[in-house]
Amino acid sequence: IYRLPAPWAISAEQLQEHLTSQAFAACSSLEMQSQGWVAPRGDDQLVHVVNRQWLLKLDTEKKLLPSTVINQVTKARAGELEEQQGFPPPRKQMKELKEQVTDELLPRAFSIVRSTWTWIDPVNGWLVVDAGSPAKAEEVLKLMLKAIPKFPLETLRTAQSPLSAMTTWLATDEAPAGFTVDQDTELRASGDSKATVRFVRHTLEPDDVLRHIESGKQSTRLALTWKDRISFVLTENLSLKKIVPLDVLKEDSDITSKNDVERLDGDFMLMTGELNNLLNDLVAALGGRQTSIPI
């Protein structure tokens, strides 16, 4: 989750123009990886707009060429060279041989494509990357920082850290306003031992949890539900995992959806509205925003 100026003074057309230079192109025969923006709905628009909310899609194509295969073929070639030369290939020749084998195998390698979605709310100043790890999110940011002049992106910082807040909520057995604590959490010691206890789909008994907290453990992950509408897991680095719309939102989605295109737009409009409110309430529960650090 990142912050932008609210409102962000750029149009979807201007953003489209910036991103066009990084449009996705499939790997050539000698490339291991290719990365770029694609149209979320398969048309020619890299920035899909629904109700002043923007949706972006980054595709990453990667060739599947295991190092074990390269090393195996290289070893066989080196054996052939040794028979011809009468001595093992020296280090420099082995390096060149390995590069040659890689170039030969690349055109025959299979490839996989991974998509990373990004939601931008230019009205309320949110940029949220749907990525499983910070490294995947940084791939998106790296391309955007290259493409957009003076990109005003900032990290999201709150007055109270999620680590401290989640531990307090568990210790006091009291969730912040609008939230309820669910049945999943992870408690980890801060010392060298890094002793960790996980509760998965398990009732969090206050006495049990408090005993772990008093022994020096802090909550690094906590499952929460917001207003009976969205459940998620909050992590110590202020990421939201396992976001699930609950029945009340699914009913709203079923009512508004007709075909695939309308369903995408309807779901996107519904979820961005809900997530904007959720994020505002979560930031408030963490003591409000602190001065952010530009990226």
Side-chain angles (χ1 to χ4, degrees):
I1 305 169
Y2 302 92
R3 289 296 301 174
L4 290 164
W8 185 23
I10 187 175
S11 67
E13 291 75 17
Q14 289 172 317
L15 182 57
Q16 164 91 15
E17 185 178 347
H18 290 318
L19 299 182
T20 299
S21 62
Q22 298 175 343
F24 177 77
C27 288
S28 69
S29 60
L30 295 179
E31 285 182 315
M32 282 292 292
Q33 179 173 298
S34 179
Q35 197 169 55
W37 304 101
V38 299
R41 277 195 11 190
D43 50 19
D44 59 351
Q45 297 300 308
L46 300 180
V47 183
H48 181 55
V49 183
V50 181
N51 193 34
R52 299 189 298 171
Q53 303 297 300
W54 301 345
L55 183 64
L56 310 179
K57 183 182 179 185
L58 180 72
D59 273 4
T60 302
E61 180 184 10
K62 189 173 183 180
K63 294 286 184 67
L64 297 178
L65 188 56
S67 58
T68 52
V69 174
I70 297 174
N71 293 336
Q72 185 178 358
V73 177
T74 302
K75 185 178 179 180
R77 297 277 183 86
E80 295 172 0
L81 277 176
E82 184 175 353
E83 288 184 3
Q84 296 172 8
Q85 299 173 162
F87 58 89
R91 181 177 298 178
K92 182 178 179 181
Q93 191 175 19
M94 282 295 295
K95 181 181 178 182
E96 294 172 350
L97 184 59
K98 189 172 184 178
E99 292 173 351
Q100 180 183 343
V101 168
T102 302
D103 291 343
E104 290 178 6
L105 294 178
L106 261 179
R108 293 147 51 190
F110 290 103
S111 64
I112 57 172
V113 177
R114 168 175 53 84
S115 297
T116 306
W117 298 82
T118 299
W119 160 45
I120 296 178
D121 180 348
V123 179
N124 298 294
W126 297 110
L127 186 148
V128 179
V129 183
D130 183 13
S133 68
K136 295 290 190 300
E138 286 168 8
E139 292 178 0
V140 172
L141 303 186
K142 184 178 179 180
L143 287 182
M144 294 188 107
L145 287 166
K146 285 184 178 180
I148 304 170
K150 298 181 180 179
F151 189 31
L153 192 67
E154 297 179 345
T155 57
L156 174 62
R157 298 179 66 203
T158 53
Q160 189 176 16
S161 71
L163 191 73
S164 172
M166 293 187 294
T167 304
T168 299
W169 299 338
L170 287 174
T172 59
D173 193 24
E174 185 175 350
F179 295 87
T180 55
V181 173
D182 294 338
Q183 295 184 318
D184 290 35
T185 190
E186 178 180 280
L187 297 160
R188 188 176 67 218
S190 57
D192 295 336
S193 68
K194 300 294 182 184
T196 302
V197 175
R198 294 185 180 92
F199 293 83
V200 180
R201 293 188 292 277
H202 191 288
T203 301
L204 304 180
E205 297 292 348
D207 291 343
D208 291 343
V209 173
L210 187 58
R211 186 174 67 254
H212 288 294
I213 292 174
E214 288 176 344
S215 70
K217 297 184 182 71
Q218 292 181 292
S219 177
T220 55
R221 297 169 66 93
L222 182 63
L224 298 164
T225 292
W226 172 74
K227 293 185 176 179
D228 296 325
R229 300 178 73 81
I230 297 176
S231 68
F232 63 97
V233 174
L234 177 63
T235 72
E236 61 183 319
N237 65 358
L238 200 45
S239 293
L240 305 188
K241 306 286 187 180
K242 300 181 180 179
I243 300 173
V244 178
L246 302 183
D247 290 343
V248 62
L249 281 186
K250 292 179 181 177
E251 291 171 3
D252 293 343
S253 176
D254 291 339
I255 292 172
T256 58
S257 63
K258 294 181 180 179
N259 55 45
D260 289 344
V261 172
E262 291 176 348
R263 185 180 183 86
L264 170 66
D265 288 359
D267 286 350
F268 181 57
M269 183 170 64
L270 182 64
M271 285 304 298
T272 53
E274 295 292 331
L275 288 174
N276 174 56
N277 293 328
L278 185 158
L279 292 176
N280 284 326
D281 285 356
L282 181 60
V283 169
L286 294 171
R289 285 178 56 203
Q290 273 195 332
T291 303
S292 300
I293 301 175
I295 294 178

